[in-house]
Amino acid sequence: MQFQYQNSFEVKDSIHKSKIAILPIGAVEAHGPHLPLGTDNLLAERLSEKLAERVNAFVLPTLPYGQVWSLRNFPGSINISNDSLMNFLVDIGESLYKQGFTTFAMVNGHLGNGPALKDAARVLFENCPEMRVFYFFYPGMNKAAAEVRETKSSHNTYFHACEIETSYMLYLAPEHVDMDKAITDIPDIPIHADVTPTPWEEFTQTAVLGDAKLATEEKGKYIIDIAIENMAKLINSKY
């Protein structure tokens, strides 16, 4: 259910029937020559729609900007601060709480947003004690990706415009992928990138971290379906 298409005369009754709100959160940043700047928005939005069908939830309008400090100097990237993102999310969560929602699930399409989502969830934990708050980023994907990838990951955490993320797009938003422009770029990411601020232009000129040519819809579906199953189980759990 798309929250923005409800009207104010009927939405109160709709919330009473489904008290779960899902917020897709993405970013605008470089994703190589074969994927659009809004890749993370598309992934978060379409993943949220699939999840909403599983748990009978509302999908909120996508939050389309994120913290992209590492790629902020690449053409097309738009960066906002962690503080701005966190405060925005807290405001949204508190509004949902006042409207009667009891579950707020943030579905993140961009790794860089992680710290802000976690901090926002902690604030909401204190301010909205009767609302469960989740911050999801493809839960279970590491094991699933290892089972289908054909090339070694260029980093133990990062994946970007590569075999894996391009596969996500081929499954969730294939009309926005140009595989004729897909490239292989497996950079040597220095160890200091894990312990000190390191703009990505120090080790890549393309923003691709792997072999995008190896991406397939089947790989994307395999990983995404596992992530959806894990998210649905967590939302439906009664812990």
Side-chain angles (χ1 to χ4, degrees):
M1 295 179 288
Q2 293 289 338
F3 189 75
Q4 65 181 331
Y5 301 133
Q6 298 283 311
N7 66 64
S8 63
F9 282 72
E10 300 169 351
V11 72
K12 186 175 182 180
D13 288 338
S14 297
I15 293 172
H16 183 72
K17 296 175 183 176
S18 176
K19 297 184 178 182
I20 303 170
I22 298 173
L23 176 65
I25 306 169
V28 177
E29 64 172 3
H31 275 85
H34 63 297
L35 298 178
L37 297 170
T39 288
D40 296 338
N41 292 328
L42 289 163
L43 293 176
E45 190 170 273
R46 297 192 181 181
L47 189 61
S48 295
E49 291 169 355
K50 287 183 175 293
L51 176 60
E53 293 176 358
R54 289 286 305 274
V55 299
N56 186 33
F58 286 102
V59 178
L60 302 171
T62 302
L63 181 55
Y65 300 107
Q67 188 271 95
V68 297
W69 185 91
S70 298
L71 283 161
R72 71 195 189 282
N73 294 325
F74 281 70
S77 295
I78 298 177
N79 177 48
I80 65 172
S81 69
N82 277 328
D83 287 343
S84 294
L85 180 56
M86 183 194 72
N87 290 331
F88 211 108
L89 293 170
V90 169
D91 287 346
I92 292 173
E94 290 180 344
S95 292
L96 294 171
Y97 186 60
K98 291 176 182 177
Q99 291 287 334
F101 284 98
T102 58
T103 299
F104 176 32
M106 296 177 280
V107 173
N108 183 23
H110 172 63
L111 180 64
N113 292 336
L117 270 64
K118 186 173 184 178
D119 285 346
R122 287 174 169 175
V123 173
L124 292 170
F125 180 84
E126 301 295 340
N127 296 353
C128 307
E130 296 178 6
M131 183 172 71
R132 298 189 306 163
V133 181
F134 297 97
Y135 44 97
F136 293 128
F137 185 70
Y138 306 108
M141 70 151 286
N142 289 341
K143 180 177 182 296
E147 293 171 355
V148 299
R149 67 162 60 250
E150 297 179 59
T151 52
K152 183 180 178 181
S153 175
S154 61
H155 191 268
N156 60 358
T157 301
Y158 306 151
F159 66 98
H160 202 261
C162 56
E163 176 184 358
I164 299 303
E165 190 170 35
T166 304
S167 292
Y168 292 174
M169 283 290 285
L170 286 172
Y171 175 47
L172 293 174
E175 71 275 22
H176 294 287
V177 182
D178 187 348
M179 287 301 290
D180 290 338
K181 295 181 180 178
I183 63 173
T184 302
D185 187 5
I186 307 175
D188 182 14
I189 301 176
I191 190 170
H192 69 256
D194 289 334
V195 296
T196 190
T198 306
W200 278 21
E201 60 264 29
E202 287 192 16
F203 54 79
T204 177
Q205 299 302 309
T206 66
V208 176
L209 304 184
D211 191 347
K213 295 179 181 179
L214 295 176
T216 67
E217 178 185 355
E218 291 74 23
K219 292 175 184 176
K221 184 179 187 305
Y222 181 75
I223 303 169
I224 292 296
D225 286 353
I226 289 174
I228 291 171
E229 179 67 21
N230 288 332
M231 290 187 286
K233 285 181 179 179
L234 287 165
I235 290 174
N236 287 330
S237 64
K238 303 296 181 182
Y239 64 87

